Amino acid sequence: MECPYCGKEMTQGYLNNRQKPIQWIPDGKDPGFLNYMKAKDGVTLENEFNVIDGYNAEAHYCSECMLVIAPTEG
């Protein structure tokens, strides 16, 4: 994937969270109490779950811009 800011190739990888699906949550909003539920105002990233690693969301990193980009569900 090409970085939308500098045009250099981004490194493919993933974001990991063992407890809860990975989400973007607006500042000041509560992430919620239950581990398996999406936050009310959250945007869930495309997650895959496995018993050993937990939740993994595909992400690309640009070392030039220090930027991570990840697709969302839906």
Side-chain angles (χ1 to χ4, degrees):
M1 175 177 189
E2 191 175 280
C3 177
Y5 292 92
C6 70
K8 292 187 178 182
E9 190 64 24
M10 299 180 82
T11 304
Q12 185 172 340
Y14 63 94
L15 303 170
N16 175 269
N17 185 3
R18 295 186 187 278
Q19 299 293 324
K20 190 173 192 170
I22 302 167
Q23 305 174 60
W24 173 86
I25 301 170
D27 282 343
K29 298 294 182 177
D30 184 9
F33 177 71
L34 301 173
N35 281 344
Y36 60 88
M37 295 184 70
K38 177 180 171 275
K40 179 182 173 193
D41 297 307
V43 176
T44 304
L45 302 183
E46 286 185 3
N47 284 270
E48 291 183 11
F49 178 79
N50 71 59
V51 177
I52 296 170
D53 294 329
Y55 292 93
N56 291 325
E58 176 188 340
H60 293 82
Y61 173 67
C62 177
S63 59
E64 181 75 22
C65 299
M66 298 176 66
L67 175 75
V68 173
I69 295 178
T72 60
E73 286 185 338

